[in-house]
Amino acid sequence: MNKVKVVVAGPRGRMGIEALHLMKNTENFELVGAIDRVNEGKKISDVEGLPAIDAPIYTDIHTCLTETKPDVLVDLTTPEIGRLHTKTALSYGVRAVVGTTGFSEEDLTELKEMAEEKGIGCIIAPNFAIGAILMMKFSQMAARYFSDVEIIELHHDRKLDAPSGTGIKTAELISKVREPKKQGHPEEKEIIEGARGAEFDGIHLHSVRLPGLIAHQEVLFGRDGESLKIRHDSYNRASFMSGVELCVNTVMNIDSLVYGLENIIE
Ligand SMILES: NC(=O)c1ccc[n+]([C@@H]2O[C@H](COP(=O)([O-])OP(=O)(O)OC[C@H]3O[C@@H](n4cnc5c(N)ncnc54)[C@H](O)[C@@H]3O)[C@@H](O)[C@H]2O)c1
Ligand SMILES: O=C(O)C1=N[C@H](C(=O)O)CCC1
């Protein structure tokens, strides 16, 4: 069997650790290296709390990609580092699966162009959880009948970006099927700035950050006399791993950039 050679960036992070376990426990994946901020020259197994994998850790992505020659980079870091890593991976002809959120529209356009130019796959997935993808798809379906909608995304308080990648993606999907609309009273005024949340094509997005949470989202729809609530909850980070596995396998067979798992899961 030809194994997919993978490098994970952000191996000590909450998602990174789960991804290391996924790589270790998946027969057709071979973890050939990791990119960390520290621990240069160590093996993954030398670092406390990480699984027993013999692969080396690098702090420099260029050295890592040159020496390990992976098929795929899985990036689970921060918005600034993730965009740098993804561009670098594509420039080396290495496919990328990006779970890191907080990329701008300009980043996505640039990465799309790079992937096309190189003719290699790149998957940017704001949410790897299957239930979250269904929540987004169901919300898009509901928006055909309910044109008034507000999104409330709730995450742990270590999250760097707001609104969440999932919240933005949900608003994008909904805006594809409804006419742009200003919601609420035409003359409404925010007494405290930010009270009505962020706005995307007239859709209001509210971000909650609290300790104890992992990743949750409610999409609230209203029309005369009725309302509909679509909610998804991730209670642990293992919930994202079947999506990561699917992306690593899929990215090997595509030759352009895909933004969002809803384009992969029918
Ligand atoms: N797509 C999804 O389903 C999904 C799910 C959960 C989290 N996320 C996103 O994944 C990212 C990581 O989330 P997390 O909760 O694991 O965060 P985290 O803070 O626990 O982990 C991030 C890791 O990146 C590392 N890092 C920072 N700079 C680095 C560098 N230069 N080189 C290598 N590593 C570096 C940090 O040391 C840290 O260990 C975030 O952007 C988050 O929004 C996406
Ligand atoms: O923990 C996070 O950070 C998450 N971010 C994703 C987002 O921004 O949508 C979703 C899953 C968890």
Side-chain angles (χ1 to χ4, degrees), residues 206-263:
H206 310 270
S207 298
V208 177
R209 298 289 177 263
L210 286 172
L213 296 178
I214 302 254
H216 318 263
Q217 182 168 293
E218 288 185 355
V219 187
L220 307 177
F221 295 92
R223 52 185 277 160
D224 196 18
E226 58 178 321
S227 67
L228 172 67
K229 176 162 85 181
I230 301 174
R231 181 174 170 118
H232 175 259
D233 298 276
S234 269
Y235 298 112
N236 60 34
R237 282 158 184 108
S239 65
F240 302 116
M241 292 304 127
S242 57
V244 176
E245 182 177 351
L246 175 70
C247 287
V248 172
N249 283 318
T250 305
V251 81
M252 292 301 294
N253 298 312
I254 58 174
D255 55 10
S256 59
L257 183 143
V258 171
Y259 165 50
L261 247 70
E262 73 283 359
N263 297 302

Side-chain angles (χ1 to χ4, degrees), residues 135 148-156 159 161-171 174 178 182-184 188-190 192-200 202-210 213 215-221 229-232:
M135 169 205 40
D148 284 69
V149 51
E150 305 230 354
I151 299 169
I152 305 175
E153 54 92 348
L154 310 90
H155 282 83
H156 58 91
K159 185 161 179 60
D161 50 317
S164 69
T166 311
I168 295 170
K169 184 65 164 163
T170 310
I174 290 173
R178 73 163 209 171
K182 173 146 180 40
Q183 290 182 195
E188 79 180 3
K189 273 199 188 71
E190 286 185 331
I192 299 177
E193 199 185 314
R196 294 285 288 122
E199 223 181 301
F200 181 96
I203 301 164
H204 292 252
L205 267 152
H206 310 270
S207 298
V208 177
R209 298 289 177 263
L210 286 172
L213 296 178
H216 318 263
Q217 182 168 293
E218 288 185 355
V219 187
L220 307 177
F221 295 92
K229 176 162 85 181
I230 301 174
R231 181 174 170 118
H232 175 259

